[in-house]
Amino acid sequence: MTKSATDRTESSREDGAVGPLGTVWGAAMSPEALVRSLLPPEAALPVPGAGHPAWDQVATSGVLLAVRERAEAELGTPWPQPLASQYARYFRDGNRTGYESQVFQRQDRLTRAVLMAAAANGETIGREQGWLDEAADGIVQLCEQSSWCWPAHEDTCRPRGTVLPDVATPCLDLGAADVAAQLAWADQVLGHRLAERYPGLRERIRSEVRVRVLDPFVRRRDWQWLGLDGDVHNWCPWICGNVLVAALRLAEPGPERAHQVAWAVAGLDRYLAALPADGSVDEGYEYWWNGACRALEALDVLAHATSGLLDAAEVPVVRETVRFPYRMHLGGPWYLNLADARARPPAEQPWQVPHRWARRLGERDARRHAESQRAATISPFAELGRALCELADVEWQAAGRGDPPLVAGVWLPGTQVGLARTAAGTAHGLALAVKGGHNGEHHNHNDVGSVVIAVDGVPVLVDAGRPTYTAQTFGPDRYAIWTMQSSWHNVPEVRGAPQGQGHGFRARDVEVVDEPGRFEVRMDLATAYPVPELERWWRTAALDRHASHVTIRDVWAFTGDGDPSVLHFLVNGQVDQPSAGQVVVRPPHGARAVRVAWDPGVATAAFTVRRLADPMLSEVWGEQLTRLELRLPGTARGAIELRVGVGE
């Protein structure tokens, strides 16, 4: 985080100071003003209820085809059942996916049932009631689930030495907020029908959401994700946005509801204040969807709920963060990945959100990028609120599918991340990405100075990403995981020492040149290493657009001679070494081969093959990645240049 971003975060605490929303809206975002400006619950969410003519068009358009196929296949089958033994596993062996997968499958099935019930206007009464019964079954199962909190986030078990949640002390985390919002959206579209067929169910929904989510949200100030200590991350907009939806729909009009909404808006304000002015996200592109995008969705809802009074279109950082996804695009399904993000993340994202904001802001490239990624049907695994908002967006439904903008180059000083390609508008050729920053970022990997190189849109010198989350991922042994270590990123290992972790291990003296024919980033990496005798380690990464090649030049200075250092480069594809001083990499997915060359008189090469058994890695990269290791002399002064070009 840059100093300016940190300063903005500090000014967003609960001390009367305001962030970018407060600067624009002032007292209009206070509870006293919101009591008067908020629409009543039945009108506060921006989607029509079942029975509205808009659902007739949805039912006949085919946009729910994938949802219908899966919903009909599972109708009448047993529902997923999260078990106590699965919950307890997290505290016993660190496994969190066994329980979470059951919860996610249950929520996904409920979403499909709600969509089918809402779109059943033209079906027979029996068929319509069948879908309503299916939705009611899912709602009741959620209401009877002991906890909505995911086990990895439960804050009562470890202090008490237990392995199951305390139902009397509900924990408000991502999972709990997700369920509250899902129930609110379900009530929005099916509420009147549920009241007729299941009298009392809507009251149960409201009671459960109040006790588990709304009351803890305003009662406690020690939730770490509130960011009151200045450390604001993607949990804040994710939870605050979902609580906002729940409060708008399920709370009674009056001061208490206005207070809940105001506190949610304050959280969104803190998050936007924490974003750098350039709108970049230190967790990378994939996490933009669960941070900045969550904030944009919440701001959409808020604008509707206040009849346009609280509209964030004039907030500068909102415009900038809408640009972030297309700026990180390498080509096709590939994106620049940082931290725990994946280089080929799920394509099924709520693309209507950046599209809607791009329309509002007049951002042509953001709009083109969203349209290039749009799918023909709603994903059967979409979140309910996102699916409903997508169906309600008439302009999005009518949009065509075009080509992405693929910008020529961008430098984002807030996170010290840059990306450049040979020519704008095409993935053909080379692309270079460079990262400075520090090793105390959210979802941090020790990767100061790392580079990524893609050919024809496919990464060839890569960042591996992360394996499946376990208890270790966010525990004290995080950096025992190989993908988190600098030794498995495209950076030096200095005289046997990998990079240190924490804000103090950072890049310094960063310089950027972005001209029509050349993109170059130069930085000193010495402060990223706990090596006292290291004076300077200059890394310069440059893309020559005219010659269509990349150079990575490392120049070091120590106080004296010592042990050798090693340059590491993680390679995606088949690696051949035709002669000393060069390798040819043949990446998958139809991309052309690239030649990587260096002076064999300066460095000798070795290779380590890393087999990928974890599906989070193998689904992106296949069976293996190869680490190219260039052993450098232990001289006090020295330099080496790596040259990367297309062709064998």
Side-chain angles (χ1 to χ4, degrees):
M1 185 180 291
T2 63
K3 183 176 186 299
S4 59
T6 303
D7 291 344
R8 288 196 299 277
T9 302
E10 297 290 336
S11 69
S12 299
R13 299 181 183 181
E14 198 177 20
D15 57 4
V18 296
L21 297 180
T23 299
V24 174
W25 295 341
M29 57 187 276
S30 69
E32 296 77 16
L34 287 168
V35 167
R36 299 186 298 272
S37 63
L38 289 177
L39 293 174
E42 61 271 16
L45 298 184
V47 298
H52 190 281
W55 281 103
D56 292 332
Q57 183 175 354
V58 169
T60 59
S61 66
V63 71
L64 290 180
L65 179 61
V67 172
R68 177 181 290 275
E69 288 177 351
R70 191 170 185 93
E72 289 182 340
E74 65 198 359
L75 187 64
T77 65
W79 280 73
Q81 293 296 330
L83 302 176
S85 58
Q86 295 166 338
Y87 202 99
R89 278 199 67 181
Y90 175 78
F91 303 98
R92 291 173 174 157
D93 64 14
N95 180 287
R96 55 185 286 179
T97 55
Y99 180 85
E100 288 177 5
S101 64
Q102 294 297 308
V103 170
F104 299 158
Q105 289 171 32
R106 173 180 280 184
Q107 289 185 255
D108 288 345
R109 180 165 171 174
L110 172 58
T111 289
R112 292 187 288 268
V114 171
L115 292 173
M116 295 310 301
N121 290 352
E123 297 186 8
T124 64
I125 295 296
R127 189 64 166 165
E128 182 178 329
Q129 290 178 345
W131 289 121
L132 200 60
D133 290 343
E134 173 86 345
D137 285 343
I139 289 170
V140 170
Q141 288 190 68
L142 286 179
C143 288
E144 294 184 350
Q145 194 170 295
S146 294
S147 175
W148 294 343
C149 174
W150 302 339
H153 305 155
E154 174 61 55
D155 61 1
T156 62
C157 289
R158 292 200 187 280
R160 300 177 183 182
T162 61
V163 295
L164 296 176
D166 179 3
V167 296
T169 311
C171 180
L172 177 50
D173 76 325
L174 301 175
D178 274 351
V179 173
Q182 184 178 26
L183 293 177
W185 289 111
D187 188 83
Q188 169 71 15
V189 293
L190 298 181
H192 294 303
R193 293 182 176 178
L194 289 172
E196 294 173 359
R197 189 161 176 81
Y198 289 92
L201 180 54
R202 298 183 75 193
E203 289 75 15
R204 174 76 183 278
I205 291 172
R206 282 156 175 76
S207 174
E208 297 288 351
V209 170
R210 182 181 68 254
V211 170
R212 299 181 191 230
V213 173
L214 296 180
D215 287 351
F217 177 64
V218 296
R219 184 178 66 246
R220 288 179 55 174
R221 289 293 185 269
D222 62 339
W223 303 116
Q224 54 83 17
W225 45 262
L226 283 170
L228 296 177
D229 61 353
D231 182 20
V232 191
H233 51 78
N234 69 310
W235 281 37
C236 187
W238 191 339
I239 294 175
C240 288
N242 279 329
V243 170
L244 172 70
V245 169
L248 287 171
R249 179 63 189 180
L250 302 177
E252 290 294 325
E256 184 177 8
R257 177 178 182 245
H259 179 54
Q260 294 162 351
V261 170
W263 191 228
V265 175
L268 298 173
D269 201 17
R270 280 191 297 277
Y271 176 76
L272 292 179
L275 286 181
D278 56 32
S280 58
V281 174
D282 59 2
E283 298 112 316
Y285 161 80
E286 185 176 2
Y287 280 83
W288 182 90
W289 294 102
N290 281 327
C293 183
R294 298 279 182 182
L296 295 176
E297 290 173 281
L299 293 171
D300 266 335
V301 170
L302 184 65
H304 173 86
T306 59
S307 302
L309 179 65
L310 299 185
D311 188 337
E314 299 304 317
V315 177
V317 75
V318 169
R319 179 182 294 275
E320 290 301 323
T321 204
V322 168
R323 295 169 171 168
F324 183 72
Y326 75 77
R327 288 170 162 175
M328 296 294 99
H329 191 198
L330 292 173
W334 299 97
Y335 287 81
L336 174 61
N337 61 310
L338 307 172
D340 280 347
R342 288 167 286 183
R344 190 163 58 176
E348 297 170 339
Q349 303 289 2
W351 287 104
Q352 78 281 358
V353 178
H355 191 265
R356 187 158 50 248
W357 279 95
R359 298 191 318 252
R360 187 181 306 175
L361 298 171
E363 287 290 331
R364 181 174 176 270
D365 282 346
R367 180 171 180 168
R368 286 179 58 203
H369 183 240
E371 290 173 353
S372 74
Q373 305 296 311
R374 76 184 307 273
T377 61
I378 299 290
S379 167
F381 305 104
E383 294 177 23
L384 181 56
R386 288 178 162 179
L388 291 171
C389 290
E390 180 172 351
L391 291 170
D393 190 336
V394 176
E395 288 189 62
W396 170 252
Q397 293 299 325
R401 178 167 178 143
D403 297 323
L406 295 171
V407 297
V410 62
W411 174 253
L412 301 171
T415 48
Q416 293 186 344
V417 172
L419 188 152
R421 55 176 40 87
T422 307
T426 177
H428 188 76
L430 291 174
L432 166 68
V434 186
K435 181 190 177 297
H438 59 79
N439 283 336
E441 296 160 342
H442 299 119
H443 290 262
N444 180 71
H445 290 198
N446 292 337
D447 59 356
V448 173
S450 187
V451 297
V452 169
I453 297 176
V455 58
D456 301 335
V458 179
V460 61
L461 297 187
V462 308
D463 184 318
R466 56 95 171 175
T468 301
Y469 284 159
T470 66
Q472 183 184 10
T473 310
F474 300 105
D477 297 328
R478 175 179 175 86
Y479 293 97
I481 301 171
W482 69 271
T483 62
M484 316 296 181
Q485 302 166 6
S486 66
S487 300
W488 288 93
H489 285 81
N490 299 330
V491 298
E493 188 161 298
V494 177
R495 292 190 170 175
Q499 293 184 3
Q501 60 242 26
H503 286 75
F505 296 94
R506 60 174 58 242
R508 66 183 178 187
D509 299 333
V510 180
E511 303 170 356
V512 181
V513 174
D514 190 359
E515 300 171 343
R518 185 173 183 82
F519 179 86
E520 178 180 293
V521 180
R522 181 174 184 262
M523 64 184 74
D524 182 13
L525 308 184
T527 46
Y529 293 87
V531 180
E533 67 270 23
L534 178 60
E535 295 178 339
R536 291 279 187 174
W537 193 292
W538 287 107
R539 165 158 283 190
T540 304
L543 168 66
D544 186 325
R545 293 188 173 100
H546 296 315
S548 190
H549 70 249
V550 169
T551 57
I552 302 167
R553 180 173 174 80
D554 288 279
V555 180
W556 60 88
F558 295 89
T559 56
D561 292 349
D563 293 334
S565 299
V566 180
L567 293 183
H568 289 150
F569 295 98
L570 199 57
V571 179
N572 172 36
Q574 177 186 331
V575 180
D576 299 314
Q577 188 172 18
S579 61
Q582 60 180 310
V583 296
V584 174
V585 183
R586 294 177 176 83
H589 308 291
R592 290 173 292 170
V594 299
R595 182 179 297 274
V596 182
W598 62 92
D599 184 347
V602 176
T604 57
F607 304 90
T608 298
V609 174
R610 189 87 197 201
R611 302 292 179 182
L612 305 177
D614 190 289
M616 292 292 290
L617 297 168
S618 60
E619 288 173 3
V620 176
W621 305 116
E623 296 181 356
Q624 67 183 47
L625 290 170
T626 303
R627 186 173 67 179
L628 168 63
E629 301 149 1
L630 298 180
R631 187 179 178 89
L632 306 175
T635 55
R637 301 285 189 276
I640 186 172
E641 183 173 279
L642 200 76
R643 300 176 299 281
V644 182
V646 179
E648 303 192 19

